[in-house]
Amino acid sequence: AFAEGSAALSGCLARRARPVRLCQGCHRHYRRLLALYRDIARAAGNSSESHNCAKSILTSDRLQIVVTLSEFFNETWETANCANCLKNNSEGLSNSTVEFLDLFNKSLTCFEHNLQGETIYLTPNNYTEVCKNCNETYRMLNDLYNNLQRMNSQGGESGHSAHLCIDVEDAMNITRKLWSRTFNCSVPCSDTVPVIAVSSFILFLPIVFYLSSFLHSKQKKRILILPKRIQSNASLVNIQEKYS
């Protein structure tokens, strides 16, 4: 049973390697293989015969094929971060993943519908209909992906804090490459006005600095005034000379 499960999972992974659909297409095969391996490794009750059977299958030789296969599938599954696409019990895709994949398929359908029979890469500058009619769908998909990234960094539906699963990441990479490189489309930035205002303020700062420095450094002409104390001392000297 473990050999049949390994063959089924290997075939599933290979068939869904490109475009990447590992997590959404192979999670049932992976869950079944985990259960089979646990059945082999578990010693039923306190029976020494059960323990010897598990030891004979798993660790009695240098190759340890069953253990090696199990470790390979586990490492592949963890590297793909499939747990972040699935529910906690791994019985199916999470609600956020289903929503993303649905919107992803709508985006691809919109791209295909608005190509107007043109062949991609042959006329790379004539995709105005795609950019115009699919802008809203692409923007929603991109916003949802960014939200999933923020949720996942805090621990999302799956409870795992890591990268998004490879299915979602690959789907978003494909869409972004089509949108920006193939169709040469762009999404207007909603923060354009604040950016322009801040940039203008920063550029205006040197002018304000030099103008204020010039105004504060300008000095008024000094007027020389004879001190009254000197005049009074001179009068006192004259009076003393007169009486002497």
Side-chain angles (χ1 to χ4, degrees):
F2 183 84
E4 293 173 355
S6 298
L9 182 55
S10 297
C12 182
L13 294 176
R15 286 191 298 270
R16 289 164 175 79
R18 193 77 251 158
V20 182
R21 300 292 185 271
L22 305 182
C23 305
Q24 54 188 301
C26 305
H27 63 89
R28 292 183 179 87
H29 295 290
Y30 177 72
R31 191 172 68 252
R32 179 173 180 270
L33 194 67
L34 284 181
L36 290 172
Y37 184 83
R38 284 195 296 266
D39 290 341
I40 296 174
R42 182 177 60 236
N46 296 323
S47 174
S48 59
E49 293 182 359
S50 298
H51 179 73
N52 291 334
C53 178
K55 183 178 179 180
S56 175
I57 295 176
L58 299 178
T59 60
S60 61
D61 59 80
R62 178 169 56 86
L63 290 180
Q64 300 181 6
I65 293 297
V66 174
V67 175
T68 301
L69 285 174
S70 178
E71 290 178 348
F72 166 74
F73 289 124
N74 289 334
E75 182 180 356
T76 301
W77 202 254
E78 291 176 3
T79 303
N81 292 300
C82 288
N84 290 315
C85 278
L86 305 174
K87 297 177 181 178
N88 287 331
N89 53 10
S90 298
E91 292 182 354
L93 297 176
S94 63
N95 295 332
S96 58
T97 303
V98 172
E99 181 184 2
F100 175 86
L101 294 176
D102 180 64
L103 199 54
F104 167 69
N105 292 328
K106 288 181 180 179
S107 299
L108 294 185
T109 301
C110 184
F111 293 165
E112 183 179 1
H113 179 73
N114 287 276
L115 284 176
Q116 299 177 341
E118 299 174 359
T119 304
I120 296 179
Y121 300 118
L122 295 182
T123 56
N125 296 322
N126 193 18
Y127 297 122
T128 54
E129 292 297 320
V130 176
C131 300
K132 177 182 177 182
N133 297 329
C134 302
N135 178 70
E136 182 65 19
T137 306
Y138 175 80
R139 186 187 60 80
M140 292 173 60
L141 179 68
N142 193 64
D143 291 344
L144 178 58
Y145 180 79
N146 293 333
N147 290 334
L148 290 178
Q149 281 187 315
R150 286 193 292 268
M151 288 174 54
N152 196 68
S153 63
Q154 302 172 356
E157 292 181 64
S158 65
H160 294 75
S161 180
H163 293 287
L164 293 175
C165 74
I166 191 64
D167 292 26
V168 173
E169 289 183 343
D170 184 71
M172 194 68 236
N173 287 338
I174 290 175
T175 311
R176 285 175 173 174
K177 287 179 180 178
L178 286 173
W179 183 259
S180 60
R181 298 182 184 179
T182 305
F183 303 138
N184 198 27
C185 302
S186 61
V187 178
C189 181
S190 59
D191 297 332
T192 302
V193 175
V195 169
I196 294 177
V198 172
S199 302
S200 302
F201 175 74
I202 294 176
L203 292 175
F204 191 67
L205 280 179
I207 300 176
V208 175
F209 173 76
Y210 286 113
L211 183 61
S212 60
S213 299
F214 173 77
L215 293 176
H216 285 84
S217 62
K218 186 178 180 181
Q219 298 180 355
K220 296 182 179 180
K221 293 182 179 180
R222 295 182 180 180
I223 302 176
L224 184 61
I225 302 176
L226 291 175
K228 294 183 180 181
R229 183 178 180 182
I230 298 178
Q231 293 179 354
S232 60
N233 290 338
S235 301
L236 180 61
V237 171
N238 293 332
I239 293 173
Q240 290 178 351
E241 290 181 351
K242 182 177 179 181
Y243 282 98
S244 60

